[in-house]
């Protein structure tokens, strides 16, 4: 069952675009481990926040990704940009009006 | 610029699955007006909430969709299932690690 993670990551003042650059760096590993979509963005009404929407083949694929050395290194590199404020939600996808 | 809407819709007790069925009914109109993805789901830890993640060709395409008679009728039909609690966030997509 496809799993969705929609999240907000608060950044230290002025670090938003650096975090966007970090999160959008090309990674072939993500697709290999079951990441179907990973959209990163901004909203100028919240200038110190980075937004992400991720779709994974399963909740287990998402969980397993967090243990990969490449992903753990990426999280460690992001940490100095983060304010510590996180938000969002996770869910199991059950359908879409765009497909049968 | 691709626009993302990630939202939570609170439902009246026991109405979650009816709202899921309503939101996932096949709609060819959505793709025609610029909807790229519309994933609907649930999380059993919040049993009276429906979760959606939508991607649109642009923020304008999303705004325009809300004026369509078909979409307005769908919103009206959903209203009796809703608790009135909404959450989530919107953003402009600036990149993805899955593509250059």
């Amino acid at each position: 069952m496809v799993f969705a993670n929609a999240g907000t990551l608060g950044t230290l003042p002025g670090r938003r675009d650096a975090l966007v650059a970090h999160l959008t760096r090309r990674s072939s590993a993500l697709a290999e481990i079951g990441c179907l979509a990973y959209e990163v963005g901004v909203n100028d009404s919240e200038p110190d926040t980075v937004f992400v929407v991720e779709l994974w083949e399963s909740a287990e694929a998402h969980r397993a990704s967090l243990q990969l050395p490449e992903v753990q290194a990426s999280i460690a590199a992001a940490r100095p940009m983060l304010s510590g404020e996180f938000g969002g939600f996770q869910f199991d996808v059950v359908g879409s009006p765009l497909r049968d």
Side-chain angles (χ1 to χ4, degrees), chain A residues 3-90:
Chain A
F3 173 79
N5 182 49
T8 62
L9 299 87
T11 71
L12 295 177
R15 300 298 284 155
R16 179 190 77 178
D17 292 349
L19 183 59
V20 165
H22 178 71
L23 291 174
T24 56
R25 195 168 304 148
R26 191 78 160 81
S27 164
S28 55
L30 284 175
E32 285 162 16
I33 58 177
C35 185
L36 304 172
Y38 197 118
E39 304 298 327
V40 180
V42 299
N43 183 329
D44 285 340
S45 72
E46 297 184 53
D48 295 320
T49 301
V50 175
F51 301 83
V52 298
V53 161
E54 307 163 34
L55 295 173
W56 292 81
E57 286 177 5
S58 65
E60 176 51 38
H62 176 252
R63 263 195 304 274
S65 76
L66 301 176
Q67 302 309 317
L68 279 188
E70 177 174 338
V71 172
Q72 294 210 332
S74 174
I75 293 169
R79 198 163 289 132
M81 308 178 216
L82 298 170
S83 69
E85 293 171 277
F86 300 95
F89 48 85
Q90 303 185 323

